[in-house]
C-alpha cells in the first residue's frame, strides 16, 4: 500500500508540476521557466507572469483539484458512479444566485466580486436545503433524488430569469455559466490554494471513513461509524468546496465526474489513495483544458468550461466503451 | 450476559416487536426462528440500534440503546444476510473490523491488527481455499457468495465482540456452504466464548447447531428455551400454520422437522 501510494502520488505530483510550469509559461508569448530568474521585477513579462498567468494557473489547479476530489467523495458516499459535485444542485443554485444578482441590478459585470458572492450564496442555500432535508429524511437515495430535483428547479428558475433579463444581462449570465479562470488576483489565487489544500487535508483525513461507508451504510454503522454525523460532514465539505469553485470560476463541468473515474480505473477504489489522486488529477486536467482554451484559437480564447465539457465528455464515452475490470464506486 | 427487557419497536405501518424479554447468559448459539414477517430481523435491527426501540438492552452492564456507535461496535458485531460485491481487497475488508479501535484520523492499520486479520481469515477457513499471497491481492467482488459471507464473519470476529448478531448468514447459500459457515461459527463460539444470536429460517439447521431457540410470531416471543423443548410439533404447527412431522435425526437423535405434504 505505502509503495503504491508513494508511486502514484509522487508520479502524479511530478506531472502536475510539469503541467503547472507549462501552463504558466505558455500564453500570447512564451515565458519559459529558465528565463524567470533573470526577469526584471519592473518588466512587463514579470508582471504578466506574476499578476496574470500564475494566478490563472493556480486557480485552474485548485478548482480542478477541489471539484474532482469532491466528485470522488460524493461517488463514494452515494455509491453511485454518476454523481458529481453538480448533481446535487450546487451549480444550479449558484447560477440562480448569479442570475438573480444581475436581474436585480446588484451586479453589472460577470467578473465582479458581487457575482462570486451571489453564486456562493446560491450554492450554499441549495446545500443548506439538502442538509436540512437529510436530517429529516435520512438515506442517501432520498438525498440524491432531492438534489436532482433541486437542480432541475434551479435550472428552470434560472431560465425564467434569463427570459426576463435584458440582452446585456443575458449575455453576462450565459458567459458566466460557461466558466472562466480569468480575473483572479494573486492574493485571491493564493487564498484559493490555501482553502484547496485545507480541503485536501480534510478529505484525506476522512478517506478511511469513506472506504468504510462504501461497504454500505448499515455495515459502516456496525463498525462504529456515526453516519448521522459523517454523511452531513462530507456533504458540507464537498458543498463548501464546490460552492467556492463555482463562485470563483463559474460552471466547469465534467472534472468532478471524469477524473475520479479515471483515477479509480488507474489506482483502484481505496479512497486513501483515490482522494489525493483525484485532487492531483483534477488539477492536471483543468490545467490542460485551460492551456487548450487559451492557446487553440490564439490570439482569442475559448471558455474553459466548454473545453472541459468537450474533452471530459469524449474521455467519458471512451471509458464507457472500454471493457471494465472492476465495478465502479 | 445479554439481558433484553420489554423491548418494543415499530415501523411507520405499525408495531413490529411487542414487549420482547429474554436473556443469554452463557456463550452459546441462540437461534431466532419464526415465519416470515414475525419480527426476527427486526429484533436484530433493534438490538444493534438500526431501528429505534423502547425498553432495555443490557450487555454486560452497558445499555446498548444509549451507547454511542463506537462504544456499541466494540461490543457488538453484526453479520448481514448478504455482502455486496465491492472492489475492496479481502484483507482490507476484514481489517475494517478493527475500525472501532482506531483513532478517527488514523489512516492505516497496525501490524497487530494485520496479524489478527490473518488469524481470523485462517479461522474461517478462507486460507484453506486460497494461499496468503492470492488472498491478499483478491478483491471481495472476485469471491463467491459463500466466501464473501466467510469474509464477513472474519471481519466480525476481528471486532473481538462480546455479542455476535447474525441475520440469516446461510441464506442463498448451497448446503455445503451452509454447513461450513455454521461449523465455523460453532468453532469460534467455543474458542472465544462469544454470545451469538442468529436469525435462521432453516429449522433443521437451527436444531443441529443452536443450543437455544427463540420462536417469534407476530412480533412477540411465543417460545424460548432449549432447542429440544422449542421444537415441539403443536407449537410449531400453530406458529407456521401448517402440518408438521418431527422425527429424530438418525445419527444423534436431534429433532428434524418436515412439512406434511
Amino acid at each position: 500500500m505505502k509503495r503504491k501510494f508513494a508511486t502514484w502520488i509522487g508520479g502524479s505530483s511530478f506531472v502536475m508540476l510539469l503541467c503547472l510550469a507549462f501552463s504558466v509559461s505558455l500564453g500570447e508569448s512564451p515565458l519559459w521557466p529558465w528565463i524567470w530568474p533573470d526577469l526584471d521585477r519592473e518588466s512587463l513579462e514579470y508582471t504578466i507572469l506574476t499578476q496574470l498567468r500564475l494566478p490563472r494557473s493556480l486557480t485552474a489547479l485548485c478548482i480542478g483539484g477541489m471539484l474532482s476530489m469532491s466528485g470522488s467523495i460524493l461517488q463514494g458516499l452515494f455509491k453511485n458512479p454518476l454523481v458529481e459535485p453538480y448533481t446535487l444542485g450546487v451549480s444550479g443554485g449558484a447560477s440562480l444566485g448569479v442570475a438573480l444578482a444581475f436581474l436585480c441590478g446588484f451586479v453589472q459585470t460577470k467578473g465582479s466580486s458581487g457575482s462570486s458572492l451571489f453564486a456562493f450564496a446560491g450554492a450554499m442555500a441549495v446545500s443548506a436545503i439538502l442538509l436540512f432535508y437529510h436530517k429529516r429524511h435520512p438515506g442517501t437515495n432520498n438525498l440524491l433524488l432531492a438534489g436532482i430535483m433541486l437542480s432541475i428547479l434551479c435550472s428552470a428558475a434560472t431560465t425564467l430569469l434569463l427570459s426576463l433579463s435584458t440582452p446585456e444581462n443575458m449575455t453576462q449570465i450565459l458567459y458566466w455559466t460557461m466558466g472562466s479562470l480569468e480575473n483572479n488576483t494573486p492574493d485571491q489565487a493564493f487564498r484559493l490554494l490555501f482553502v484547496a489544500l485545507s480541503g485536501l487535508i480534510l478529505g484525506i483525513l476522512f478517506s478511511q471513513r469513506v472506504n468504510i461507508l462504501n461497504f454500505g451504510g448499515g455495515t459502516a454503522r456496525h463498525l462504529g461509524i456515526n453516519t448521522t454525523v459523517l454523511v452531513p460532514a462530507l456533504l458540507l465539505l464537498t458543498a463548501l468546496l464546490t460552492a467556492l469553485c463555482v463562485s470563483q470560476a463559474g460552471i466547469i463541468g465534467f472534472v468532478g465526474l471524469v477524473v475520479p473515474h479515471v483515477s479509480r480505473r488507474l489506482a483502484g477504489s481505496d479512497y486513501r489513495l483515490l482522494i489525493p489522486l483525484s485532487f492531483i488529477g483534477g488539477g492536471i486536467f483543468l490545467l490542460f483544458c485551460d492551456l487548450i482554451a487559451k492557446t487553440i484559437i490564439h490570439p482569442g480564447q475559448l471558455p474553459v468550461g466548454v473545453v472541459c465539457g468537450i474533452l471530459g465528455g469524449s474521455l467519458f464515452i471512451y471509458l464507457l466503451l472500454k471493457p471494465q475490470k472492476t465495478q465502479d464506486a | 450476559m445479554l439481558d433484553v427487557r420489554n423491548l418494543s419497536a415499530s415501523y411507520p405501518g405499525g408495531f413490529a416487536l411487542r414487549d420482547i424479554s429474554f436473556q443469554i447468559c452463557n456463550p452459546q448459539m441462540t437461534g431466532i426462528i419464526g415465519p416470515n414477517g414475525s419480527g426476527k430481523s427486526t429484533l436484530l435491527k433493534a438490538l444493534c440500534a438500526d431501528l429505534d426501540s423502547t425498553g432495555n438492552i443490557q450487555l454486560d452492564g452497558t445499555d446498548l440503546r444509549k451507547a454511542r456507535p463506537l462504544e456499541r461496535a466494540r461490543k457488538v458485531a453484526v453479520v448481514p444476510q448478504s455482502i455486496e460485491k465491492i472492489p475492496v481487497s479481502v484483507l482490507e475488508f476484514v481489517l475494517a473490523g478493527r475500525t472501532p479501535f482506531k483513532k478517527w484520523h488514523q489512516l492505516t492499520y497496525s501490524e497487530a491488527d494485520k496479524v489478527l486479520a490473518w488469524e481470523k481469515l485462517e479461522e474461517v477457513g478462507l486460507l484453506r481455499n486460497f494461499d496468503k499471497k492470492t488472498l491478499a491481492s483478491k478483491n471481495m467482488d472476485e469471491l463467491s457468495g459463500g466466501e464473501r459471507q466467510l469474509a464477513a464473519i472474519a471481519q466480525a470476529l476481528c471486532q473481538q465482540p462480546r455479542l455476535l448478531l447474525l441475520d440469516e448468514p446461510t441464506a442463498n447459500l448451497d448446503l455445503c456452504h451452509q454447513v461450513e459457515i455454521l461449523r465455523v461459527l460453532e468453532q469460534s463460539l467455543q474458542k472465544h466464548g462469544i454470545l451469538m444470536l442468529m436469525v435462521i429460517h432453516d429449522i433443521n439447521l437451527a436444531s443441529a447447531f443452536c443450543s437455544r431457540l427463540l420462536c417469534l410470531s407476530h412480533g412477540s416471543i411465543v417460545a424460548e428455551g432449549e432447542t429440544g423443548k422449542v421444537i415441539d410439533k403443536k407449537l410449531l404447527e400453530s406458529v407456521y400454520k401448517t402440518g408438521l412431522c418431527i422425527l429424530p435425526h438418525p445419527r444423534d437423535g436431534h429433532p428434524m422437522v418436515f412439512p406434511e405434504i
Side-chain angles (χ1 to χ4, degrees), chain A residues 59-144:
Chain A
T59 306
L61 180 76
C62 296
I63 286 179
M66 288 193 284
L67 284 176
S68 175
M69 185 184 82
S70 300
S72 72
I73 291 175
L74 289 173
Q75 286 175 10
L77 176 62
F78 287 98
K79 298 185 74 186
N80 187 330
L82 290 175
V83 178
E84 62 153 340
Y86 298 158
T87 315
L88 296 176
V90 176
S91 60
S95 302
L96 184 59
V98 169
L100 260 175
F102 275 106
L103 194 75
C104 299
F106 295 122
V107 178
Q108 261 76 45
T109 55
K110 76 172 179 67
S112 68
S113 58
S115 62
S116 298
L117 200 68
F118 273 88
F120 189 79
M124 287 315 295
V126 168
S127 306
I129 294 171
L130 275 182
L131 282 169
F132 182 70
Y133 176 82
H134 178 68
K135 201 176 172 194
R136 298 194 66 171
H137 303 275
T140 47
N141 283 342
N142 279 341
L143 188 64
L144 186 57

Side-chain angles (χ1 to χ4, degrees), chain A residues 4-49:
Chain A
K4 188 180 174 187
F5 190 90
T7 310
W8 276 109
I9 298 301
S12 57
S13 300
F14 177 71
V15 175
M16 183 186 72
L17 289 175
L18 264 183
C19 284
L20 186 65
F22 256 102
S23 171
V24 174
S25 304
L26 291 174
E28 203 155 313
S29 60
L31 291 169
W32 296 107
W34 46 87
I35 65 160
W36 294 351
D38 303 326
L39 286 178
D40 182 4
R41 280 175 174 263
E42 305 298 320
S43 66
L44 180 66
E45 286 86 355
Y46 184 82
T47 311
I48 289 173
L49 199 68

Side-chain angles (χ1 to χ4, degrees), chain A residues 189-230:
Chain A
F190 281 108
R191 273 203 294 273
L192 198 63
L193 182 66
F194 174 75
V195 175
L197 290 177
S198 309
L200 176 64
I201 291 168
L202 276 175
I204 292 172
L205 286 175
F206 277 126
S207 60
Q208 181 58 4
R209 307 262 137 177
V210 181
N211 269 343
I212 308 283
L213 266 185
N214 215 24
F215 297 170
T219 307
R221 270 194 308 279
H222 302 152
L223 290 171
I225 306 279
N226 194 343
T227 50
T228 48
V229 173
L230 182 66

Side-chain angles (χ1 to χ4, degrees), chain A residues 79 208 221-222 272 327, chain B residues 50 84-85 92 107 109:
Chain A
K79 298 185 74 186
Q208 181 58 4
R221 270 194 308 279
H222 302 152
R272 288 172 296 179
Q327 74 176 65
Chain B
D50 274 354
E84 284 180 53
K85 288 185 171 187
E92 282 291 331
L107 295 179
Y109 296 96

Side-chain angles (χ1 to χ4, degrees), chain B residues 48-179:
Chain B
C48 64
D50 274 354
L51 182 69
D52 286 338
S53 58
T54 57
N56 208 344
I57 310 166
Q58 296 273 336
L59 178 66
D60 296 336
T62 306
D63 188 345
L64 289 184
R65 278 185 61 244
K66 289 179 185 156
R68 286 180 297 131
L70 196 67
E71 196 187 347
R72 197 182 304 118
R74 286 176 179 165
K75 289 173 181 284
V76 183
V78 183
V79 176
Q81 205 175 94
S82 61
I83 308 297
E84 284 180 53
K85 288 185 171 187
I86 37 176
V88 173
S89 82
V90 178
L91 182 62
E92 282 291 331
F93 182 77
V94 174
L95 271 169
R98 300 305 296 159
T99 305
F101 304 94
K102 276 173 63 185
K103 291 195 171 73
W104 77 273
H105 53 78
Q106 203 180 325
L107 295 179
T108 52
Y109 296 96
S110 67
E111 279 308 310
D113 286 344
K114 285 178 190 165
V115 170
L116 186 71
W118 281 118
E119 247 175 48
K120 299 304 170 193
L121 280 166
E122 191 165 16
E123 196 175 316
V124 300
L126 273 174
L127 280 177
R128 276 200 305 273
N129 303 357
F130 307 100
D131 63 69
K132 219 170 167 177
K133 204 176 162 188
T134 314
L135 198 60
S137 62
K138 250 200 172 5
N139 271 359
M140 284 293 286
D141 54 5
E142 294 170 87
L143 298 184
S144 70
E147 288 164 345
R148 283 203 302 279
Q149 202 67 21
L150 287 171
I153 292 170
Q155 186 196 68
L157 293 175
C158 230
Q159 274 176 261
Q160 296 180 311
R162 175 75 178 121
L163 172 66
L164 180 57
L165 302 173
L166 303 114
D167 188 5
E168 293 188 57
T170 55
N172 309 317
L173 296 182
D174 60 43
L175 203 58
C176 154
H177 279 104
Q178 287 181 11
V179 174

Side-chain angles (χ1 to χ4, degrees), chain A residues 232-304:
Chain A
L234 288 174
L235 279 175
L236 190 64
L237 173 68
T238 54
L240 273 171
L241 294 181
T242 310
L244 190 68
C245 291
V246 178
S247 68
Q248 292 291 309
I251 295 170
I252 298 176
F254 273 107
V255 187
L257 180 65
V258 175
V259 180
H261 267 278
V262 177
S263 307
R264 190 177 289 111
R265 289 217 175 186
L266 291 173
S269 291
D270 188 338
Y271 282 84
R272 288 172 296 179
L273 175 58
L274 191 58
I275 285 176
L277 192 63
S278 293
F279 184 94
I280 297 168
I284 293 172
F285 182 74
L286 202 53
L287 278 171
F288 183 66
C289 288
D290 186 45
L291 201 59
I292 291 177
K294 67 184 181 184
T295 54
I296 201 162
I297 54 161
H298 180 76
Q301 291 196 13
L302 287 173
V304 69

